[in-house]
């Protein structure tokens, strides 16, 4: 496909704030019966009847959370929705509505924002969430996206971080670490491009890792899978900041300890190969890399037979008494205190 060297650029100042909102939101559809009024008034109106409402919000800042040198705007919009929906999945709830707010500088034409909202629309359709409002404003610092997500669940379905018991098993969905290595590949190719702008990257060997970084998916299926197995987690969290950080969150809020087993970590073969290529320890990346958006949860030991051998889940450890601490048990059967070395947005 030949790239258009002179793409159309429509100044967003021509539309004005309300014209821009109308233009960008015209394709959003209403999927939820609980949405009585979406975009178009001073506030959205929702009706959850007997359901409990869960709410989360997240913000993404250019240069901190994403780099537009290799993050297509359509993928960015999709990922922004996914990262928020994942928080609702981590409550064992169903996401139903989102609001989208953006701050944008004048270097972005209308066509760029159309791409961003195309990704948001694709994710909204995939996860059956209604876009019910938001805000737009100008920015002196590039692009900023803030999304608030609402969800619903019956009270007895909701899972918190503080319910783990000292005899529980620790379980994770999918595989971990791939998103971080996808980021390393993209950062390397960016540096190569800066030295030689005519270079064409060959990314065929890294497709899975790059997809995990640029187009992750929230685990909306886990709620249904666990319900079918008649398992309710005792605690749960999504892996956005790194496995080690999330384990420590569960332990601190549940007042328990944990033994995490290195040989039980679910690692994709492509991930292992690229860690070797980069000369990086795969275990270090797996427990500290973020943005996997898998779910980490604990279950009662009585549920072991229900979940063992299930390809969607890996039992990676067990909880202990708080006094025993939080440890990684290596393949050599050595206990190492687990440190939170995952993503920290406020680090210098």
């Amino acid at each position: 496909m030949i790239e258009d060297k002179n793409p159309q650029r429509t100044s967003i100042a021509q539309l004005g704030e309300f014209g821009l909102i109308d233009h960008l939101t015209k394709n959003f559809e209403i999927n939820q019966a609980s949405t009585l009024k979406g975009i178009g008034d001073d506030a959205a109106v929702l009706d959850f009847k007997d359901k409990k409402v869960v709410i989360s919000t997240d913000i993404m800042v250019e240069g901190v959370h994403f780099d537009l040198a290799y993050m297509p705007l359509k993928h960015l919009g999709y990922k922004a929705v996914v990262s928020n929906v994942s928080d609702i999945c981590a409550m064992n709830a169903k996401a139903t509505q989102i609001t989208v707010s953006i701050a944008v500088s004048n270097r972005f034409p209308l066509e760029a924002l159309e791409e961003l909202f195309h990704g948001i629309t694709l994710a909204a359709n995939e996860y059956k969430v209604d876009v019910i409002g938001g805000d737009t404003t100008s920015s002196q610092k590039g692009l900023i996206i803030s999304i608030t997500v609402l969800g619903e669940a019956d009270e007895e379905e909701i899972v918190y971080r503080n319910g783990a018991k000292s005899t529980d098993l620790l379980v994770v969905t999918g595989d971990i670490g791939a998103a971080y290595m996808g980021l390393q590949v993209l950062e390397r190719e960016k540096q190569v491009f800066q030295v030689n702008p005519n270079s064409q990257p060959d990314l065929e060997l890294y497709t899975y890792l790059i997809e995990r970084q640029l187009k992750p998916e929230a685990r909306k299926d886990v709620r249904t899978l666990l319900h079918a197995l008649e398992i309710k987690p005792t605690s749960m969290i999504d892996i956005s900041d790194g496995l080690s950080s999330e384990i420590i969150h569960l332990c601190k809020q549940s007042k328990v300890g944990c033994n995490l087993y290195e040989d039980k970590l679910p690692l994709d073969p492509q991930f292992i190969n690229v860690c070797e290529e980069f000369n990086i320890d795969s275990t270090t990346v797996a427990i500290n890399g973020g943005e996997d958006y898998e779910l980490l949860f604990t279950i009662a030991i009585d549920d072991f037979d229900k979940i063992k051998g299930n390809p969607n889940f890996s039992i990676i450890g067990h909880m202990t008494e708080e006094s025993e601490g939080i440890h990684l048990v290596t393949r050599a059967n050595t206990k190492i205190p687990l440190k939170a070395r995952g993503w920290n947005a406020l680090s210098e």
Side-chain angles (χ1 to χ4, degrees):
M1 193 169 88
I2 300 174
E3 182 182 357
D4 184 357
K5 299 297 184 181
N6 296 291
Q8 181 180 355
R9 290 179 61 88
T10 305
S11 170
I12 59 177
Q14 294 177 16
L15 283 80
E17 179 181 359
F18 297 111
L20 177 63
I21 292 170
D22 290 341
H23 184 87
L24 294 176
T25 62
K26 62 186 178 184
N27 294 322
F28 292 136
E29 300 175 353
I30 298 299
N31 295 294
Q32 301 292 333
S34 53
T35 306
L36 300 184
K37 179 65 178 179
I39 296 170
D41 216 305
D42 288 304
V45 181
L46 309 179
D47 179 12
F48 287 94
K49 297 183 172 66
D50 297 326
K51 297 283 187 180
K52 298 300 178 185
V53 181
V54 289
I55 303 173
S56 182
T57 192
D58 199 12
I59 191 167
M60 298 177 72
V61 179
E62 183 180 355
V64 178
H65 301 96
F66 59 89
D67 187 336
L68 292 178
Y70 49 73
M71 170 64 83
L73 285 164
K74 182 167 69 173
H75 288 72
L76 177 61
Y78 193 96
K79 184 174 181 177
V81 175
V82 164
S83 67
N84 280 271
V85 170
S86 182
D87 286 331
I88 301 301
C89 295
M91 300 296 293
N92 203 36
K94 180 180 75 171
T96 51
Q97 286 92 6
I98 60 172
T99 66
V100 179
S101 296
I102 61 170
V104 60
S105 71
N106 59 11
R107 70 182 171 92
F108 291 92
L110 175 63
E111 288 74 20
L113 297 187
E114 287 177 334
E115 279 291 291
L116 178 71
F117 272 74
H118 184 199
I120 292 171
T121 304
L122 287 174
N125 292 336
E126 171 66 25
Y127 292 95
K128 298 294 187 291
V129 294
D130 295 340
V131 183
I132 59 168
D135 194 15
T136 59
T137 189
S138 61
S139 166
Q140 301 299 317
K141 298 292 184 180
L143 179 62
I144 301 170
I145 308 169
S146 178
I147 292 182
T148 296
V149 58
L150 295 89
E152 64 178 31
D154 293 332
E155 186 171 10
E156 62 271 15
E157 294 178 322
I158 298 175
V159 177
Y160 301 95
R161 296 181 182 181
N162 62 0
K165 304 293 187 294
S166 60
T167 55
D168 286 351
L169 301 174
L170 184 66
V171 184
V172 70
T173 64
D175 60 82
I176 54 176
Y180 179 85
M181 286 313 298
L183 178 63
Q184 301 314 301
V185 171
L186 291 167
E187 285 285 354
R188 181 182 68 182
E189 296 305 321
K190 175 187 173 181
Q191 292 174 12
V192 171
F193 177 79
Q194 288 173 337
V195 173
N196 180 13
N198 294 318
S199 66
Q200 294 295 318
D202 183 3
L203 301 176
E204 187 175 345
L205 296 176
Y206 313 107
T207 52
Y208 178 67
L209 306 184
I210 291 172
E211 182 179 7
R212 292 282 279 175
Q213 172 58 219
L214 296 185
K215 190 178 177 291
E217 300 290 353
R219 295 304 304 262
K220 64 176 181 177
D221 59 322
V222 169
R223 183 171 180 254
T224 303
L225 290 169
L226 291 175
H227 186 266
L229 294 171
E230 298 182 341
I231 294 174
K232 181 187 176 183
T234 53
S235 67
M236 186 152 57
I237 192 171
D238 78 323
I239 303 176
S240 55
D241 298 332
L243 180 67
S244 58
S245 297
E246 315 303 4
I247 289 174
I248 291 171
H249 282 313
L250 289 185
C251 288
K252 286 187 175 180
Q253 296 211 17
S254 295
K255 293 182 170 54
V256 294
C258 179
N259 285 331
L260 169 69
Y261 290 89
E262 182 181 21
D263 61 350
K264 301 297 184 184
L265 295 173
L267 309 178
D268 185 83
Q270 188 176 105
F271 165 79
I272 295 172
N273 291 339
V274 177
C275 282
E276 292 176 355
E277 178 185 340
F278 276 69
N279 195 27
I280 300 176
D281 180 66
S282 60
T283 298
T284 300
V285 175
I287 65 175
N288 295 311
E291 296 192 300
D292 292 309
Y293 299 110
E294 297 292 345
L295 295 180
L296 176 72
F297 58 93
T298 54
I299 61 171
I301 196 168
D302 292 343
D303 288 330
F304 170 74
D305 287 336
K306 298 178 184 178
I307 206 170
K308 68 177 181 181
N310 191 303
N312 297 288
F313 307 110
S314 298
I315 300 171
I316 59 173
H318 62 86
M319 314 315 277
T320 63
E321 294 294 336
E322 185 177 21
S323 58
E324 294 187 31
I326 307 170
H327 293 93
L328 172 70
V329 181
T330 69
R331 293 184 179 88
N333 204 32
T334 301
K335 277 190 172 184
I336 301 174
L338 196 63
K339 303 290 186 181
R341 294 192 175 95
W343 168 252
N344 179 2
L346 300 180
S347 62
E348 295 182 359

